[in-house]
Structure formats: C-alpha cells, structure tokens
Amino acid sequence: MNWKQIDRNTRVQHNGVYTVWKQQISNECFNQCVYCSIHENPWGGIDHYHIDHFRPQSKFNALKNTITNLYHTCPICNKFKSDDWQNEPNDLEIICYPDPSDHNYSNLFTIDTTNYTLEGRYVSSRYLINRLYLNRPQLVYERREHFLNLKANALIEESKKLLELTVDIDLVRTASKIKDNLVQLLIARKNIVPYKLLDIKKPKKKKA
Ligand SMILES: [Zn+2]
C-alpha cells in the first residue's frame, strides 16, 4: 500500500542493547510495519509494535544488537514471522524474506483493486503473503479505505473544478455545502478504528 524502503546508510548504530532503541527503530522505519506497511498510530502507537530481528535471534545471535538487522513491525507480522528463516535473500525468485533495506516492498506486490487483496510478483513475495498472512481481513480493510479515500478526494477535486465554472450563485452555495459535508465526513471517518480480535486470527488450513 504505502511501503517505504529503509535507508541502511542513515541508520545509527549505538553500543548497548537493542531493547532501548525502539523509538529510533520506529523513526528509521517511518513508524510503520516494514512488512504490511500499517502505521503504528491506529494500532495504539509504538507500545503495541515490536522490534523484529530480520535474521532471527535464535539463528543469528551475533546480529542481536546490529541496527541494520532490526526493523519496526506490527505484532501480527512479527508473530507470524517468528524465527522463520528460509534462505539468504539473494534472489527474489527463491523462498526468502526480501530485506526491507534492499527493496521497496511496493515493488514486490500488485494490489487487486476489485477486492483489495495483494498478489506477489515473485516467489519471495508470494511466500511473504502466505507466511505473514498479508491478506488478513484488517489489511484488506485498510487497503479498501485507502483506495476509497483516494477516489473520494478525486471526486472532491472534480466538483471544485465544476463549481468554478458555474455562474448560478444558489447552485454554487448548495453544491459547496455538499462538498464541505463530504470533506468533514472523510475527516471523521479517519478516526474510526474497527479492529476486532477475531479479525487477526489466521484461518486453519482445511485437511484435504
Ligand atoms: Zn505488519
């Protein structure tokens, strides 16, 4: 949706233990989950987010406090990723986690705008979608909101242009009021946080 590549060169390595670097890691990752791109704000803020060891601590203990191995993630992606590590991410066409500092994740996926689901463009991105369940209901909801807001804003812009061409003052007043109400409605809807616990459970695979 709105993934951003993390700039490895501007990350700051401190001495000490990673657990106290949460704010810095959040800032360096644009305050959003590097895997699903959801911003921390609608999730209750930084407290609810986790520090992800890209190369898992259980398998790469030496990288435990290496800043370029640490990313900001939502708790759900972090839980699904856990200590999974398949292959070094040298090729997008193998099962692996592409490094968010090597790739802009926006380029790994396409979004089906009829149902707002993600499709992977590579073996690695299809693996990500499956393993981190990137088509979970609340992410589909967020994508739908994002696209509907874009469409609504485009309609507002279109109506503004039409209003400039209209000479009937009563019509201008009425149409302006409708437009302003729509803008207010969009602003109000931004504050709705609809997550339910049930929405974050991954359905169990049915046995064949
Ligand atoms: Zn996430």
Side-chain angles (χ1 to χ4, degrees), residues 33 43 63 89 96 118 133 149 154 156:
C33 174
W43 283 76
L63 299 176
C96 68
L118 282 190
Y133 191 25
N149 280 332
I156 289 169

Side-chain angles (χ1 to χ4, degrees), residues 24-96:
Q24 177 199 332
I25 293 166
S26 169
N27 293 345
E28 288 174 345
C29 296
F30 306 97
N31 316 104
Q32 63 183 37
C33 174
V34 293
Y35 300 113
C36 71
S37 86
I38 295 300
H39 198 278
E40 66 190 24
N41 282 353
W43 283 76
I46 187 170
D47 258 6
H48 293 254
Y49 269 44
H50 293 181
I51 297 171
D52 166 57
H53 286 83
F54 179 66
R55 286 177 175 77
Q57 226 182 135
S58 59
K59 291 161 183 152
F60 299 87
N61 193 46
L63 299 176
K64 188 165 74 172
N65 297 309
T66 301
I67 193 73
T68 49
N69 191 46
L70 303 174
Y71 289 116
H72 196 50
T73 59
C74 75
I76 301 170
C77 286
N78 194 241
K79 198 170 132 193
F80 283 141
K81 183 168 171 279
S82 186
D83 69 345
D84 182 42
W85 186 258
Q86 299 288 330
N87 293 295
E88 278 299 308
N90 301 324
D91 185 344
L92 291 174
E93 293 291 9
I94 58 170
I95 292 177
C96 68

